[in-house]
Amino acid sequence: MKGTPSIESSSIKMIPKDYIMQALLKPVDYHSSLLVYYVYLHRKFALASPFSTKSTSYPDDILDHFPVKKVLEFIRENLNFIFPEIVALVSSQSPSYFHVNNKLLELTQKESSVKLEYLIEHLETFDDLAVALKEGLDESKTSQYINVLKLLQPELLFKNFTSFMDLLVQNYSNDYRQVWIKLYLNSPTTTCTATLKYFGIDGDYISNPLLIFDAFQNHRQLIPVFLQVLNHSSSEFRHKIRTGRTMFSNEKDSAVLTYDSLVIQNLFSIIHISPALVCKYVHQVFVDRPLCIRLVNFQGYDLDIIPTVVDLVPSMHVCIDYCVEITTNVNGKFGMTLATYLCRKYPLEKT
């Protein structure tokens, strides 16, 4: 009909993806930073549009190629007036980059004196480095090679991801975990997906977090990595649900709550592997989404782990208010046991 704008004419013009990716091959500057800002802004308006489809804006996978950390640092220093907005955009569309309170993401701040020239001089390929690290060299030599590994660009590590994962699995240590975290911070989705593929998981782990449990069931030493993948999956699932248009608000809340309770119940089944790390993860979920505390405890779990959960999950203190209801209407034995340990941990004041 004449005078009625089409979807195309009312859409914001898209800068070609190839042009953006070419610009990002160079060091971060005003041009590349503004292009990244533009993409996030374009996606924001597209998501808000009732005519939005996957073809009307940039796909999710383009975000994985952005040097987000470097761009944010550049904008903070040189384009400060848009810094709050770009942080909000990245936080809403790439939530995995924002876990500043998560100790699993702490990286060493020590500067390494080892230069990449060392690798060029002594090792011809990444496989040479991997072999050297696997050979069990003396401690000082191994330390040098690990420092070289830490200095490698993410692109090279991704290119040799299987060899790197062999090192991580066979010689797990904090040093190797830091390299994995470096990759994660560079590209969360790519790192998590590649990690799960290494363990033979190729399904939709964001919608089905039990696949993550399957991947790591025989690699207990990797639980810090496992929890980070789980955290990423949870963040992406919430983002997917909350930006979707097929559910009402209460249905979205219910979907997220069900997802969280499923994850926590399965974490409780492996709590013996690392009680402190598992409980820290659970506590953060409870703090972020308090309704989950009620649901999980009304569902109940193994009586044997109640002492550990009460002791290591500080947010469990709110369950004191639920104990009578749980005991009376849901599970008397569970409710009484929970109340006993809660009262020992948090004695009621005499009045």
Side-chain angles (χ1 to χ4, degrees):
M1 184 181 294
K2 189 175 181 180
T4 302
S6 67
I7 294 175
E8 289 75 19
S9 65
S10 62
S11 298
I12 307 171
K13 183 178 179 181
M14 290 177 65
I15 297 174
K17 179 180 176 181
D18 290 344
Y19 177 83
I20 295 171
M21 300 311 296
Q22 191 67 30
L24 291 172
L25 293 176
K26 302 174 183 177
V28 173
D29 57 10
Y30 285 95
H31 182 59
S32 56
S33 295
L34 289 172
L35 283 173
V36 170
Y37 172 65
Y38 173 85
V39 170
Y40 276 107
L41 198 61
H42 191 284
R43 283 169 51 86
K44 174 187 175 182
F45 284 113
L47 286 170
S49 169
F51 304 110
S52 173
T53 66
K54 287 187 176 180
S55 62
T56 58
S57 190
Y58 299 95
D60 291 343
D61 60 7
I62 192 176
L63 305 183
D64 255 355
H65 297 286
F66 289 171
V68 173
K69 188 176 180 182
K70 292 180 180 178
V71 168
L72 289 176
E73 289 173 353
F74 184 89
I75 289 177
R76 182 174 57 191
E77 294 296 323
N78 302 283
L79 296 163
N80 190 260
F81 62 96
I82 64 169
F83 183 68
E85 186 172 8
I86 184 70
V87 168
L89 290 168
V90 174
S91 178
S92 64
Q93 296 180 41
S94 303
S96 297
Y97 284 104
F98 288 86
H99 299 296
V100 293
N101 294 322
N102 192 338
K103 295 296 183 183
L104 296 174
L105 289 184
E106 285 185 353
L107 298 176
T108 178
Q109 299 299 313
K110 296 179 180 178
E111 291 292 332
S112 173
S113 60
V114 180
K115 304 297 182 184
L116 281 177
E117 284 77 9
Y118 185 92
L119 174 63
I120 297 171
E121 183 180 349
H122 293 81
L123 304 162
E124 294 183 2
T125 67
F126 184 91
D127 285 337
D128 291 334
L129 175 60
V131 169
L133 285 165
K134 288 178 183 177
E135 284 177 349
L137 305 170
D138 64 86
E139 189 173 335
S140 61
K141 195 79 169 177
T142 301
S143 178
Q144 284 183 315
Y145 282 130
I146 287 177
N147 283 331
V148 170
L149 188 66
K150 290 179 181 178
L151 287 170
L152 294 180
Q153 292 297 314
E155 292 76 14
L156 181 58
L157 287 166
F158 279 126
K159 191 174 180 180
N160 298 276
F161 194 77
T162 298
S163 294
F164 166 67
M165 285 300 296
D166 287 342
L167 290 171
L168 181 73
V169 172
Q170 296 169 23
N171 308 283
Y172 183 78
S173 68
N174 189 52
D175 287 317
Y176 289 114
R177 182 179 68 85
Q178 287 177 11
V179 178
W180 188 91
I181 291 294
K182 172 184 175 180
L183 291 176
Y184 177 84
L185 291 174
N186 177 267
S187 185
T189 299
T190 299
T191 303
C192 291
T193 302
T195 299
L196 291 173
K197 282 187 176 180
Y198 174 84
F199 292 118
I201 302 298
D202 203 18
D204 182 5
Y205 66 92
I206 290 175
S207 297
N208 181 10
L210 296 184
L211 292 175
I212 303 173
F213 285 85
D214 291 341
F216 287 90
Q217 63 179 340
N218 296 320
H219 304 282
R220 296 182 175 186
Q221 77 278 19
L222 300 181
I223 193 163
V225 172
F226 158 70
L227 290 174
Q228 191 58 59
V229 175
L230 199 59
N231 196 39
H232 169 75
S233 171
S234 179
S235 297
E236 292 299 312
F237 180 80
R238 292 195 305 276
H239 175 66
K240 176 181 175 182
I241 292 297
R242 286 169 181 167
T243 57
R245 295 190 175 88
T246 60
M247 292 183 178
F248 293 110
S249 179
N250 62 326
E251 292 175 324
K252 291 180 179 182
D253 291 341
S254 178
V256 170
L257 193 59
T258 301
Y259 185 99
D260 286 335
S261 67
L262 174 66
V263 167
I264 289 176
Q265 291 291 4
N266 279 274
L267 281 174
F268 280 166
S269 71
I270 61 168
I271 196 171
H272 59 282
I273 297 174
S274 181
L277 283 179
V278 169
C279 286
K280 185 174 183 179
Y281 184 99
V282 171
H283 171 64
Q284 194 58 55
V285 175
F286 283 171
V287 169
D288 292 341
R289 294 173 290 286
L291 284 177
C292 197
I293 306 177
R294 180 182 176 90
L295 176 58
V296 167
N297 284 281
F298 270 72
Q299 289 172 336
Y301 39 86
D302 190 343
L303 296 178
D304 291 340
I305 69 169
I306 289 178
T308 302
V309 174
V310 169
D311 190 46
L312 297 179
V313 181
S315 49
M316 280 291 292
H317 75 275
V318 303
C319 290
I320 291 175
D321 297 334
Y322 308 144
C323 285
V324 173
E325 190 176 355
I326 293 173
T327 303
T328 306
N329 301 325
V330 183
N331 185 327
K333 189 173 182 180
F334 179 85
M336 289 298 295
T337 306
L338 180 62
T340 299
Y341 283 98
L342 283 170
C343 289
R344 288 178 184 173
K345 178 78 172 178
Y346 307 102
L348 299 175
E349 293 183 7
K350 295 181 180 180
T351 57

